[in-house]
Structure formats: structure tokens, C-alpha cells
Amino acid sequence: MRTVRKAPSRERPATYSLLPAPGELPVATWRLEHGWESTGWQSTDSFEEHAHDFPGLAYFQTAGGLLRTGRRVWQIEAGDLFVIAPGDVMGQVHASDLAQAHGWGVFFTADALGPDVPGAHLAWRTHPLLFPFVRGGAIGALRLRVPEPERPEWPARIQALHDELAQRRDGYREAALAHLTLLLVGVSRLAADVVGDLRENREPLLAEVFEVIERRYPQPLSLRDVAAAVSISPGHLTSTVRRRTGRTVQEWITERRMVQARRLLAATDLPISEIGRRVGFPDAGYFARTFGKVHGMSPAQWRRAGGADPGSRPQR
């Protein structure tokens, strides 16, 4: 595994891309502590302010040390899980920042789950309720808190992933992807309360916006409706949300609707027109065009690509 550095510009710091060798899994792990140990990653004593064009996680099982993200400096606490979206700006990192820390980093590319799982990577790349991975680089890494009873599981999962990548025994690809999937499921469960996470991370306006979208996405909903609900002018809301998330309010509304559409396509036999109606698209043609623009295939093609026996899908 190697990284490629894109030189900084006036608008952006240096940005790193993760480039696996042919046939290599696009996944890397490293210990976040004094004297870093990595799999497939060249570590140094320090990193400049930088960003990645791929997502990642940083989990710390004990308190101690600092993590610099965006303009913030976090005092690391036991159970901290930092979710790093593509484009998030990470502050300059010195080895001394992590001298007292004990944690793990996991980074991967969007195709890590494989093309044979239709929509799998879309589920975490575009899901508004998985806000940690889709903030557009405006906020910096999002901090989640792992409940104390669950904390022993996280380093054990990452250690298992690390061992598979390092030892490459028979079946390591399948085992490594299984461990990565479990980690992503854990993130999704921790991030399920997006509104609470946004408030925890001092983003009250975004919390209100996502609360409105979550409550009203099945109905007709426009930028003006959301702006009225949060008592801000549409122009101010548009610029603020785009600046802080990299997307517009309307894009977030559409993404939330697409998430529910994928769920209904995969889990029910409802007609596509009915699915469109249930997710806020009374016009079946407009629903199909929007779905196709987002996913590169029609709703019917996406459903067929799932490979499930239609008769086996539970009704919801």
C-alpha cells in the first residue's frame, strides 16, 4: 500500500490518496501511539496539515494525547472514536501528540466492500444518517463516544483486521473484509443519532436541519420549507449548509429519500412507483430519473442487481 500526495494549493492543504497495489485490499491499519506501527503505510515522525480523499477511523482505548482536526484540538479520552470523512482537514500531527495515546487508525477506499455488493459502499458514502462519512471536509473529524461496555470490542476488532492484513494467511481477504464490515456496522450504530452527534459536536443549526429532513422527507419538502422550520432565510441557510457540509439542503433531502428508496427496493416487493411515492416523489418518472442520476442505474436495475429472490423479501 502506498499513498500519493497532491501538493497544497491556496484553497486546500496537501491531500493524500490511498493506492493499493494490484490485487491488494484497499485497507490500511496503524497503531496511534508513540512509535507508530502500520500495515501497508509509511509512517513518519510528523505530518503536515493535510487531508485524505478516502475515509477513515481513529479509535482510542485510553485517555492521553491530542488529535488535531480542522481548527480544533481534541484532548483524547478513553472511548473516543474519530470518524474522518474524505476531505476532512487534519491538523499538523507530531509524534509527541500521541506519545501518551493508545489507539488504532483504519483507512480504506470507497470500493473496499467490493463491486459485487450492489449499493454497499453507497450506504455509508451517501447515507444522511451516516453523517460522519459525508461532511465534505468542512468540519473536521467527527468525534463519537463508544459506550464503556462496548470498548473492549473495538481494539479487538481492529487488531484482528490488522493481523489479517499483516499475515495474509489463506482466506485473509474475506476475513479482513468481514472485520471491516463489522467496524462500519459499529460506526453506523453509534452514528444513528445524527442530530445528537451534531449537537455533541457544537453544530446546533445542522442538527435542526437534519431533524427537519428526517421528520419530513416522505412529504413535499423544499429548501424554503426547511429554512422556515429553522427560522433562517433560504439564502443564508443554503450558504451555511454548503459551507459546513459540502452539500446543499436539497442534496441532503434527495440523499435521505434515496436511502429509504434503497431499503424499500431491497426489502419489499412494492411497485417502484409506490416506493417513489413513499419517499417523497409522487411523480414516478421523476423518481426514476433522480434515482438513476444518483446510482447510475434505474430502480428496477438496482433491485435486480441485489440478487435476492423477490419472493423471499419481507414486506415492510
Side-chain angles (χ1 to χ4, degrees), residues 246-261:
R247 295 188 178 194
T248 67
V249 172
Q250 191 59 54
E251 285 172 332
W252 283 116
I253 295 171
T254 298
E255 291 295 356
R256 182 61 186 99
R257 288 170 168 167
M258 292 298 100
V259 167
Q260 187 63 11

mmCIF file of all heavy atoms in Angstrom, residues 246-261:
data_model
loop_
_atom_site.group_PDB
_atom_site.id
_atom_site.type_symbol
_atom_site.label_atom_id
_atom_site.label_comp_id
_atom_site.label_asym_id
_atom_site.label_seq_id
_atom_site.Cartn_x
_atom_site.Cartn_y
_atom_site.Cartn_z
ATOM 1 N N GLY A 246 -20.488 20.752 2.587
ATOM 2 C CA GLY A 246 -20.100 20.483 1.219
ATOM 3 C C GLY A 246 -21.267 20.135 0.314
ATOM 4 O O GLY A 246 -21.076 19.849 -0.871
ATOM 5 N N ARG A 247 -22.492 20.143 0.836
ATOM 6 C CA ARG A 247 -23.685 19.835 0.060
ATOM 7 C C ARG A 247 -24.786 20.839 0.362
ATOM 8 O O ARG A 247 -24.781 21.494 1.407
ATOM 9 C CB ARG A 247 -24.200 18.427 0.369
ATOM 10 C CG ARG A 247 -23.258 17.330 -0.036
ATOM 11 C CD ARG A 247 -23.931 15.985 0.119
ATOM 12 N NE ARG A 247 -23.030 14.918 -0.311
ATOM 13 C CZ ARG A 247 -23.423 13.679 -0.539
ATOM 14 N NH1 ARG A 247 -24.693 13.347 -0.388
ATOM 15 N NH2 ARG A 247 -22.553 12.768 -0.924
ATOM 16 N N THR A 248 -25.747 20.920 -0.545
ATOM 17 C CA THR A 248 -26.886 21.815 -0.345
ATOM 18 C C THR A 248 -27.975 21.106 0.448
ATOM 19 O O THR A 248 -27.992 19.877 0.573
ATOM 20 C CB THR A 248 -27.463 22.263 -1.694
ATOM 21 O OG1 THR A 248 -28.044 21.124 -2.347
ATOM 22 C CG2 THR A 248 -26.395 22.888 -2.587
ATOM 23 N N VAL A 249 -28.909 21.900 0.945
ATOM 24 C CA VAL A 249 -30.044 21.327 1.662
ATOM 25 C C VAL A 249 -30.809 20.378 0.749
ATOM 26 O O VAL A 249 -31.207 19.275 1.160
ATOM 27 C CB VAL A 249 -30.961 22.443 2.193
ATOM 28 C CG1 VAL A 249 -32.250 21.855 2.781
ATOM 29 C CG2 VAL A 249 -30.244 23.279 3.245
ATOM 30 N N GLN A 250 -31.050 20.801 -0.482
ATOM 31 C CA GLN A 250 -31.800 19.945 -1.404
ATOM 32 C C GLN A 250 -31.073 18.633 -1.675
ATOM 33 O O GLN A 250 -31.698 17.578 -1.792
ATOM 34 C CB GLN A 250 -32.052 20.682 -2.725
ATOM 35 C CG GLN A 250 -33.047 19.958 -3.632
ATOM 36 C CD GLN A 250 -34.398 19.758 -2.964
ATOM 37 O OE1 GLN A 250 -35.017 20.719 -2.492
ATOM 38 N NE2 GLN A 250 -34.863 18.515 -2.897
ATOM 39 N N GLU A 251 -29.751 18.664 -1.760
ATOM 40 C CA GLU A 251 -28.996 17.426 -1.953
ATOM 41 C C GLU A 251 -29.164 16.493 -0.763
ATOM 42 O O GLU A 251 -29.271 15.272 -0.922
ATOM 43 C CB GLU A 251 -27.519 17.741 -2.187
ATOM 44 C CG GLU A 251 -27.235 18.300 -3.577
ATOM 45 C CD GLU A 251 -25.816 18.787 -3.742
ATOM 46 O OE1 GLU A 251 -25.193 19.194 -2.738
ATOM 47 O OE2 GLU A 251 -25.328 18.771 -4.884
ATOM 48 N N TRP A 252 -29.194 17.064 0.444
ATOM 49 C CA TRP A 252 -29.406 16.227 1.625
ATOM 50 C C TRP A 252 -30.809 15.635 1.629
ATOM 51 O O TRP A 252 -30.999 14.469 2.022
ATOM 52 C CB TRP A 252 -29.162 17.025 2.898
ATOM 53 C CG TRP A 252 -27.719 17.234 3.218
ATOM 54 C CD1 TRP A 252 -27.039 18.410 3.279
ATOM 55 C CD2 TRP A 252 -26.763 16.214 3.518
ATOM 56 N NE1 TRP A 252 -25.720 18.188 3.593
ATOM 57 C CE2 TRP A 252 -25.527 16.854 3.749
ATOM 58 C CE3 TRP A 252 -26.826 14.831 3.613
ATOM 59 C CZ2 TRP A 252 -24.377 16.147 4.060
ATOM 60 C CZ3 TRP A 252 -25.676 14.116 3.928
ATOM 61 C CH2 TRP A 252 -24.470 14.783 4.149
ATOM 62 N N ILE A 253 -31.813 16.408 1.222
ATOM 63 C CA ILE A 253 -33.169 15.871 1.145
ATOM 64 C C ILE A 253 -33.208 14.698 0.166
ATOM 65 O O ILE A 253 -33.766 13.630 0.455
ATOM 66 C CB ILE A 253 -34.158 16.971 0.716
ATOM 67 C CG1 ILE A 253 -34.243 18.062 1.787
ATOM 68 C CG2 ILE A 253 -35.544 16.370 0.464
ATOM 69 C CD1 ILE A 253 -35.037 19.291 1.343
ATOM 70 N N THR A 254 -32.597 14.893 -0.999
ATOM 71 C CA THR A 254 -32.580 13.842 -2.009
ATOM 72 C C THR A 254 -31.865 12.598 -1.500
ATOM 73 O O THR A 254 -32.347 11.469 -1.675
ATOM 74 C CB THR A 254 -31.896 14.346 -3.291
ATOM 75 O OG1 THR A 254 -32.649 15.438 -3.831
ATOM 76 C CG2 THR A 254 -31.791 13.240 -4.336
ATOM 77 N N GLU A 255 -30.709 12.775 -0.847
ATOM 78 C CA GLU A 255 -29.965 11.624 -0.349
ATOM 79 C C GLU A 255 -30.764 10.845 0.685
ATOM 80 O O GLU A 255 -30.761 9.605 0.694
ATOM 81 C CB GLU A 255 -28.621 12.062 0.229
ATOM 82 C CG GLU A 255 -27.635 12.558 -0.807
ATOM 83 C CD GLU A 255 -27.188 11.485 -1.784
ATOM 84 O OE1 GLU A 255 -27.578 10.305 -1.624
ATOM 85 O OE2 GLU A 255 -26.458 11.821 -2.720
ATOM 86 N N ARG A 256 -31.467 11.576 1.562
ATOM 87 C CA ARG A 256 -32.267 10.863 2.586
ATOM 88 C C ARG A 256 -33.363 10.047 1.922
ATOM 89 O O ARG A 256 -33.664 8.910 2.319
ATOM 90 C CB ARG A 256 -32.859 11.868 3.584
ATOM 91 C CG ARG A 256 -33.656 11.188 4.696
ATOM 92 C CD ARG A 256 -32.756 10.257 5.491
ATOM 93 N NE ARG A 256 -33.491 9.488 6.480
ATOM 94 C CZ ARG A 256 -33.894 8.222 6.293
ATOM 95 N NH1 ARG A 256 -33.653 7.601 5.151
ATOM 96 N NH2 ARG A 256 -34.536 7.592 7.255
ATOM 97 N N ARG A 257 -33.972 10.605 0.895
ATOM 98 C CA ARG A 257 -35.002 9.869 0.167
ATOM 99 C C ARG A 257 -34.420 8.654 -0.543
ATOM 100 O O ARG A 257 -35.048 7.588 -0.599
ATOM 101 C CB ARG A 257 -35.676 10.807 -0.835
ATOM 102 C CG ARG A 257 -36.578 11.837 -0.161
ATOM 103 C CD ARG A 257 -37.050 12.916 -1.109
ATOM 104 N NE ARG A 257 -38.118 13.710 -0.500
ATOM 105 C CZ ARG A 257 -38.550 14.867 -0.974
ATOM 106 N NH1 ARG A 257 -37.988 15.390 -2.064
ATOM 107 N NH2 ARG A 257 -39.531 15.501 -0.372
ATOM 108 N N MET A 258 -33.218 8.793 -1.094
ATOM 109 C CA MET A 258 -32.587 7.673 -1.783
ATOM 110 C C MET A 258 -32.265 6.536 -0.821
ATOM 111 O O MET A 258 -32.349 5.354 -1.173
ATOM 112 C CB MET A 258 -31.319 8.136 -2.495
ATOM 113 C CG MET A 258 -31.541 9.079 -3.667
ATOM 114 S SD MET A 258 -32.512 8.359 -5.016
ATOM 115 C CE MET A 258 -34.157 9.061 -4.671
ATOM 116 N N VAL A 259 -31.878 6.878 0.388
ATOM 117 C CA VAL A 259 -31.586 5.846 1.384
ATOM 118 C C VAL A 259 -32.818 4.989 1.629
ATOM 119 O O VAL A 259 -32.766 3.760 1.599
ATOM 120 C CB VAL A 259 -31.116 6.492 2.699
ATOM 121 C CG1 VAL A 259 -31.108 5.466 3.822
ATOM 122 C CG2 VAL A 259 -29.740 7.089 2.532
ATOM 123 N N GLN A 260 -33.939 5.648 1.860
ATOM 124 C CA GLN A 260 -35.160 4.891 2.116
ATOM 125 C C GLN A 260 -35.612 4.137 0.871
ATOM 126 O O GLN A 260 -36.114 3.012 0.966
ATOM 127 C CB GLN A 260 -36.272 5.823 2.599
ATOM 128 C CG GLN A 260 -37.538 5.119 3.049
ATOM 129 C CD GLN A 260 -37.312 4.219 4.254
ATOM 130 O OE1 GLN A 260 -36.261 4.264 4.898
ATOM 131 N NE2 GLN A 260 -38.310 3.397 4.579
ATOM 132 N N ALA A 261 -35.401 4.720 -0.289
ATOM 133 C CA ALA A 261 -35.754 4.026 -1.527
ATOM 134 C C ALA A 261 -34.953 2.735 -1.662
ATOM 135 O O ALA A 261 -35.493 1.680 -2.039
ATOM 136 C CB ALA A 261 -35.510 4.938 -2.725
#
